Amino acid sequence: MEQHPAEASPVCAEIDLWAQGETAGHLRVPHSRNDSGWGTIAIPIVVIANGEGPTLLLTAGNHGDEYEGQVALLRLARELDPAALSGRVILLPAMHDPAALAGTRKSPIDGRDFNRCFPGNPHGSVAEVLAHYIDTHLLPLCDAQMDLHSGGTGIDILPSACGHILDDEAYMERSLAMADAFGAPITLLLKEVNAGPTLLSAAERRGVVALSSELGGAGRLNPHGLAVTERGVRNVLKHYGMLDGVPEGERSRRMVVPDLAHYVFAPHDGIWETADRLGAEVRKGERAGFLHRIEEPLAPPTALAYGAGGLLWCTRGPGRARAGDPVAVVARDL
Amino acid sequence: MEQHPAEASPVCAEIDLWAQGETAGHLRVPHSRNDSGWGTIAIPIVVIANGEGPTLLLTAGNHGDEYEGQVALLRLARELDPAALSGRVILLPAMHDPAALAGTRKSPIDGRDFNRCFPGNPHGSVAEVLAHYIDTHLLPLCDAQMDLHSGGTGIDILPSACGHILDDEAYMERSLAMADAFGAPITLLLKEVNAGPTLLSAAERRGVVALSSELGGAGRLNPHGLAVTERGVRNVLKHYGMLDGVPEGERSRRMVVPDLAHYVFAPHDGIWETADRLGAEVRKGERAGFLHRIEEPLAPPTALAYGAGGLLWCTRGPGRARAGDPVAVVARDL
Amino acid sequence: MEQHPAEASPVCAEIDLWAQGETAGHLRVPHSRNDSGWGTIAIPIVVIANGEGPTLLLTAGNHGDEYEGQVALLRLARELDPAALSGRVILLPAMHDPAALAGTRKSPIDGRDFNRCFPGNPHGSVAEVLAHYIDTHLLPLCDAQMDLHSGGTGIDILPSACGHILDDEAYMERSLAMADAFGAPITLLLKEVNAGPTLLSAAERRGVVALSSELGGAGRLNPHGLAVTERGVRNVLKHYGMLDGVPEGERSRRMVVPDLAHYVFAPHDGIWETADRLGAEVRKGERAGFLHRIEEPLAPPTALAYGAGGLLWCTRGPGRARAGDPVAVVARDL
Amino acid sequence: MEQHPAEASPVCAEIDLWAQGETAGHLRVPHSRNDSGWGTIAIPIVVIANGEGPTLLLTAGNHGDEYEGQVALLRLARELDPAALSGRVILLPAMHDPAALAGTRKSPIDGRDFNRCFPGNPHGSVAEVLAHYIDTHLLPLCDAQMDLHSGGTGIDILPSACGHILDDEAYMERSLAMADAFGAPITLLLKEVNAGPTLLSAAERRGVVALSSELGGAGRLNPHGLAVTERGVRNVLKHYGMLDGVPEGERSRRMVVPDLAHYVFAPHDGIWETADRLGAEVRKGERAGFLHRIEEPLAPPTALAYGAGGLLWCTRGPGRARAGDPVAVVARDL
Amino acid sequence: MEQHPAEASPVCAEIDLWAQGETAGHLRVPHSRNDSGWGTIAIPIVVIANGEGPTLLLTAGNHGDEYEGQVALLRLARELDPAALSGRVILLPAMHDPAALAGTRKSPIDGRDFNRCFPGNPHGSVAEVLAHYIDTHLLPLCDAQMDLHSGGTGIDILPSACGHILDDEAYMERSLAMADAFGAPITLLLKEVNAGPTLLSAAERRGVVALSSELGGAGRLNPHGLAVTERGVRNVLKHYGMLDGVPEGERSRRMVVPDLAHYVFAPHDGIWETADRLGAEVRKGERAGFLHRIEEPLAPPTALAYGAGGLLWCTRGPGRARAGDPVAVVARDL
Amino acid sequence: MEQHPAEASPVCAEIDLWAQGETAGHLRVPHSRNDSGWGTIAIPIVVIANGEGPTLLLTAGNHGDEYEGQVALLRLARELDPAALSGRVILLPAMHDPAALAGTRKSPIDGRDFNRCFPGNPHGSVAEVLAHYIDTHLLPLCDAQMDLHSGGTGIDILPSACGHILDDEAYMERSLAMADAFGAPITLLLKEVNAGPTLLSAAERRGVVALSSELGGAGRLNPHGLAVTERGVRNVLKHYGMLDGVPEGERSRRMVVPDLAHYVFAPHDGIWETADRLGAEVRKGERAGFLHRIEEPLAPPTALAYGAGGLLWCTRGPGRARAGDPVAVVARDL
Ligand SMILES: [Ca+2]
Ligand SMILES: [Ca+2]
Ligand SMILES: [Ca+2]
Ligand SMILES: [Ca+2]
Ligand SMILES: [Ca+2]
Ligand SMILES: [Ca+2]
């Protein structure tokens, strides 16, 4: 496969993306600070390549408080035997490194949600410059891409692969095949609100077969989600013939979140007491939970109901919710 | 019982602490803001009183991101029938209201950890003024006091009542009897580091029979912890003869965390992958987990071991830990 | 009237913009927070519609510390009888809700001045996303639009309708007719500095007859300005035949602020002691006031003079001014 | 008069407090900054002294957003003829200089409300160090002291001298005589909440005849309040025989704010629409105004009523109030 | 020379750019603040013009913590005799005034590095609006332009003129001739990383002969760098025949920093102990210094080596470096 | 030597302060964070002990941006052979670890200048708790103590040992003997402004022979200062007979800064252009330099003069000074 000519970027890769074997290093992104005009941010990158085969980009730490993917890719980087591979895996285990170091969704440097930065800008903030580099220098090298997310601090989600519902059926089939191989309990297909600026959309614009995912959440490292992720990334390698063997695990349940009626939003700030655990089957009109206000101690809590029935796929993580926060999201079978 | 003469405080109680029946209102704490020189903070307070009997102070929201107690006391305030009561219950369901509204351990107003503010200061910051009022105006009214905590955002803890190991055995017995009545799965006795500035220590200095507690954590509202708490506060009322009936539930297991060897601290920043779930029995020298650094992607994670064996009583909540954070605390039977 | 096809926006209207009668709800704008990845901001919106007639968009809270319009539109929403209406009124009483809740000109979320955000950006910050939605989804529905401002915290202004001086005379006449109907004491016509990114300019680009306004200021709710506003919005409805009756009140005085010579700027930080009250007739070269520096207590204050004569239309609100702040703006008759 | 021995303070007076004639300079307060370990804050001070007579301390800028006193004392410093004086006037026209430069009530340096810092601390923050110096080095030199305040950004107040109700009647008489001389329309006597840490209380502890005042507010420089202040400070000099002549102006109306029932507090955040103008006579139970919430556009505003009748002495300045803010304070005749 | 038609800008020049003699004033840039909606920033500008001749733009304070150019241009503005001049000099001695007043590289207003803002945006933040004005209103007037930098707080650099390596040889020759005239000890030619958004690149896009420079650093005012700068700006005037005489000083050494191998980056945070002083000749592979970590007191420091030999042209200024900071940059002769 | 009984402290030493040989570890200071309620700060500590002899405490990183001492003590910790020692050295190479990690004078955690925190407070902020531990647990173990400072970011100082002028002559002689041994070019004796809260004063209150020092500054690691420091700490060990040999180096010049006339303070913000280099001999009344204001480009700079003659011992580091900053300090021979 040839290198695509790429737009100029201020980012420098300190490793050779075409080297055989395992190469680890950093992408160096300029970051002008008051106390370091020529400062840089070093984004960890690992390339494992051997012989012929597809190029797969695996990313984690798009949001800094989503941990299953970060640990899974760090482990894969240490444990994958280059000799066993056919093709090339590019790993960004802590892609949005400033957020990952902070353990926060958004970067403390520029306040940006990295998954709202694509296709990026070579003269923008650190997050925009990095997004532009990934879009112009890495995605063109790839046949497939998977971005490992979880719900982050704010929400807890059943481990799922996530893909977009697209008009190009053949292309969408390839994404679904990759999701089947990944083998999460659920595959969620979405018309993501504001999808344009995500890495998933950027990959699709480049014609790369691409998936996102939600592998846990609530700000913690979910052991079950981690196991799903570690198995899943190897399953994808097998699916593409890059590792020997066939994908392991059960059949993934294909679901959708069709519209806003499947979301329960907090109408005001309060403490959310959920009526159901994640994974429960719920009915439209049933009580989703109570939202407690502390200001007037004898006022009754606000009871909220589900606007649609299905599987309780996502719940608020922290006890306290702000006005406008989703406290429950219901998925239904496709 | 007579009112104790109290030190002057700038806090005004807008309710009558001696009224019979149920009274709800606020404590008004002055808070000088740039845009409101005579601003105030209104701390919700509920008093339920009927006839003769002891005075019990129940508090929650000492730390704003600890939710079981807040919800349990709001529910108790709404559901407790004054006619069924003998004595007086004073409820502060969101005691450190600025932190509780923010859903953060410490107050966004003055950055203070309220449980490090006792005995307070009538001319200090909002937290100090409020601590001083509670110490000088509420604790002197009380026979017993229980402060409902959880681990907050940073740590997850097995539901436990917590008391101090004290030299005065008769007094300590009364605390233990109250803990037995509360009926959490565990009663943890501690020589808390830095105990002096806590509400528990303040209550002890006033001769009030007092307990703290840890009823969940990791920033969420723990349904099991909430059930323990709701049952526990009614158990305490029964224990004091303020409600009819006998305390319900199983026998509480008395434990201690004897020294720093029972803590595992993160030696550097990283993502903590625990080897064991909360509640596991662990052995000294076994691997407690891996601390993953993202900076150098091929560097092996740091393996940490338990310094003492026992019950894994407390674990780090969020996936990312900072240098110096406890990632595991082990308790052993008394 | 048909719906115009609109650009994709991540904003969801939770109400039906075409419903008859009175409908109240929210526009839901995605807002990714560190503790709520899928958080949203709910912008209050009210639609009152009945039968045939024009569509009028009334907005307030473009700047969060400008109150006359917010109160007037909340009152109009509660008091306007749908049965008395012919046409459709769309009300955004707290359009830039994050700023309005904070009581600050700019949003605490993204630091943006909402009236510098048009035509917006569907992938930008909260303010930009909302501006884009209003520009692409609401303005195309409208025949006329009026944005209710005041001077905000920083400046105090005589109640005025404000319009742009435009090349299209027929179009400008329609704006002036609407201003005459509104009936503020003054109608100020301006070539606003940096007008391009305002809602007024956005409306003009869409061919909507549009006005801005300045109905008080200095951070307070001006009772006279509120009365002018409440009467004015009903006058506009009458002007368009949407309510019965004719506009009430006196003739509006048409004025201009021709150039920078009509501004007095503070050359350095200091306390501004104005020589004249708002509404005074002033002469070129007369003393506008003293700017007092506190650093050197015996240094004389800096005397500033008017660069042009006319009506003292706007003065600094707070006592302290920063270098570069306008402390006086003079208008003259057209 | 001899210098009193004073406690050690890190503050250095760069002027001779005993010089005859007019001397202007600064008090130098150490302020360790990250970029200036030995930095200092220079507090402007003016001493005007001539022959025999009392020492009077006049202070303004205790809160940085209260302007009448700052301008009046700067003018007095420039215009008072030392030859016309008998005694010594010490002027601190911008006493809490960091707050005065910022135009904010509290200091941006340490976040302190200076009028909550007395008696101060020689090893504390900048505000505490300065308060300690004033308490230990300036107050002991004085026979009388007056601190010129206004309501600041948050509240607007009828021009008033303010004194404490004290047990020592002879001493209180001297304060009232000084207030009568000052000649504000109102003299308000208060048991100030949290009075202990104010400059007024510090002066009283030192046996200095002392007054505070409220000369306007709402963050602006009130022309009427300024005129009252400029006349008032000269009246006080005449009262003490330090200037020739007799105090001018009308009789001051003595009033009190007896208890919390005379305050109307906002029960939640909202826009405050007052029913009455400052200075109105109001009745208990009448509507004080409406508090408008923007979150639910059709919800009616919260109507608040006066808890006591009298003179509407103080109102909220900015349009938006926070929960707990006083929106109205009623005074009644003594 | 005629004025080029320029794009609309919200910036107003309060001086006549075509006046003869010396004119000093400000560029007024709108800056909406919460407490001043119509606030402005005043950028100091001086124009000195006499008769026929080229137009030269000299700028300093692009980064606020770079002082040699600011002092040199302030002195030039005061001391240059208009009668001795042929042509026009436009001076912006504190071009990015908000950063220059703060003494920080980036602006405290919008956090922008001004030299990453070109070609700017008339509706953007203060820095973007100003960059757009300079690009559209000042650069088109100029024949030549020189931007006076230093390393700022973070790095210390040998006094150098800096130019870009360009494809247009004739044009590049003119830049080099100007650099030779300026007469810094070194002329550094660079393919600057991320050059597009700099003022130098903007000038080149406009066809203006242009240079940047590095005249010291480490956050201080370097006396040697100041002398080089003061002589250099007069040399450039002589070079263009705008002042009589010939450029003074020694021959400038032409150097390059060819690639990232000439940079030494800190791999982690620590205290940097350099092995060599600025200006040393260093060899590839030699130790550049030690990076000391304080966390583990007995751990050896990290030794870093030069990746290429040459002249030690730039070193880290502050003792502490962050991961990714350049601690040494080596230049080699062209 | 026996351990003194010490006040209770929440700080835990994780090393045995009485162990023989070399022991390295940490002091663990509780630090309650919003995301880690039981978080801790680990302060690095090294103890090297062998046989009989005095106990010497050497500290650096009291201010985080002062580097000579930090590097010297880290090197001493690695290189000192325990077998060569007689007695005990306790090293805190980064004593105020939060500030040292940040490279800032004050801690980003609590904003405290650690050298203004003694004698500390066991229930205060992190800095106060640590100061209390050092005062109560470490100083009582010591015979002598030396705290290694420099001027930090804000000022540059000639390498000097610093001691207090004390009434107890015998005690002061022992300090001077230690300073002579240390062998810095200068020994400065001072009545430090605000000395009470420094570590030096704390040591004196404990009867420990104690010195402070200033070994460079301007935020950098000064190679000459580092050499003086590395030699000096070994000289002190030799002086106490803890290492063999006699102190090396030249005689130290004893100087004083008698009063404020020896300081030159910036009267306003500006860029400081010094007339003299550090170490120059200067005369009273001579020009110390120019303070340039950028606001009015043609205004002449402010010329400042020395108020006393002597050695220019200290100068402002950064180019920009704030009002009240010392820009020059002159020392004269004792
Ligand atoms: Ca995510
Ligand atoms: Ca807790
Ligand atoms: Ca406005
Ligand atoms: Ca005040
Ligand atoms: Ca620069
Ligand atoms: Ca120091």
Coordinates of all heavy atoms in Angstrom, one line a residue, chain C residues 63 66 105 149-150 214, ligand 3:
Chain C
H63 N -27.8 38.7 25.8 CA -26.8 38.9 26.9 C -27.5 38.6 28.2 O -28.6 39.1 28.4 CB -26.3 40.3 26.8 CG -25.5 40.6 25.6 ND1 -25.8 41.7 24.8 CD2 -24.6 39.9 24.9 CE1 -24.9 41.7 23.8 NE2 -24.2 40.6 23.8
E66 N -29.2 41.4 30.9 CA -30.1 42.4 30.3 C -31.5 41.9 30.6 O -31.9 40.9 30.0 CB -29.7 42.6 28.9 CG -28.3 43.1 28.7 CD -27.8 43.2 27.3 OE1 -28.6 43.0 26.3 OE2 -26.6 43.5 27.1
R105 N -23.1 38.9 30.9 CA -23.2 39.1 29.4 C -22.8 37.9 28.6 O -23.5 37.5 27.7 CB -22.3 40.3 29.1 CG -22.2 40.6 27.6 CD -21.3 41.8 27.4 NE -21.3 42.2 26.0 CZ -22.1 43.1 25.5 NH1 -23.1 43.6 26.2 NH2 -22.1 43.4 24.2
H149 N -32.5 44.0 24.0 CA -31.3 44.2 24.8 C -31.4 45.4 25.8 O -32.4 46.1 25.8 CB -30.2 44.6 23.8 CG -29.6 43.5 23.0 ND1 -28.4 43.0 23.3 CD2 -30.1 42.9 21.9 CE1 -28.2 42.0 22.4 NE2 -29.2 41.9 21.6
S150 N -30.4 45.5 26.6 CA -30.1 46.7 27.3 C -28.6 46.9 27.4 O -27.9 46.1 26.7 CB -30.7 46.7 28.8 OG -29.8 46.0 29.6
E214 N -32.1 48.8 23.1 CA -31.4 49.1 24.3 C -32.4 49.6 25.3 O -32.8 50.8 25.1 CB -30.2 50.0 24.1 CG -29.2 49.6 23.1 CD -28.3 48.4 23.5 OE1 -28.5 48.0 24.7 OE2 -27.6 47.9 22.7
Ligands
CA3 CA -26.8 43.8 24.8

